[in-house]
Amino acid sequence: MPLVVYDAQLLAAATAFAGATYQSWPDVPPYTSNPEADCIGIVSSSPRHGTDFGLVLSRGLLTQVQAVLADDVGLAQRDIDEYIFALLTFARASGGSIVADPPLPATNPPHVEVPLELASRAGNMLVAAHPDLVKLGPRWGPQRTFVLRPRDFTEKVDAARRTR
C-alpha cells in the first residue's frame, strides 16, 4: 500500500475553504471541484477501497495545520481540535501512521522541509498545495520522491479506483 504525506496547506484548505467540513468528505470516485477535500476523502475512504492509500502525519505537520487554521483562517480551537482528531483517525484507519518528526536541516523553512522529509522517509509520495513544494515536482531528491498537486493526485486515484 502506498503511503502519502499531505502538506499543511492542503490539509488546511481541505476544511477551511469552499464549504468543506471536517465531518463529511467526498468519496473518490468521482472527484469534486475541491481537490484538497478530495485528498482527505481518498484516505478517509481508503478502508472501503482495500486500504489503497495510507496517510502519514507527524506532530510538526499537525502543528503547522493548526497554525494555519487558527491564524490565517480564524477557525475556533474546538473545530481545529475536532479536525485534527479526524485526521489522526483517518491516518490510523487507512493503514498510515503518526510518525516522529524528522530532524530538519536549516536549508528550507519547516513548511517545506517537514513534508519533504516525511515523504522521503515514509512512502515516497507527497501531495502538496503550497507553491514552494509544487515547484519541486514531479520527482524530487535522491529518493525521487513523487510530488503531486492535489488535482493530479485525485485524478489518478479516481482513474485507478474506477478500473477495479
Side-chain angles (χ1 to χ4, degrees), residues 51-127:
T51 56
D52 53 355
F53 289 96
L55 177 63
V56 175
L57 299 169
S58 76
R59 173 170 282 203
L61 186 61
L62 293 174
T63 299
Q64 290 177 19
V65 173
Q66 183 174 358
V68 170
L69 291 175
D71 300 341
D72 297 345
V73 178
L75 240 63
Q77 190 60 49
R78 176 184 50 85
D79 293 336
I80 294 169
D81 292 344
E82 287 183 28
Y83 179 53
I84 297 294
F85 181 77
L87 290 176
L88 293 168
T89 301
F90 298 153
R92 289 183 185 105
S94 68
S97 60
I98 295 87
V99 299
D101 285 311
L104 299 176
T107 57
N108 289 312
H111 72 274
V112 171
E113 204 62 49
V114 169
L116 282 175
E117 287 298 317
L118 289 175
S120 66
R121 286 185 351 180
N124 215 27
M125 186 181 309
L126 171 62
V127 181

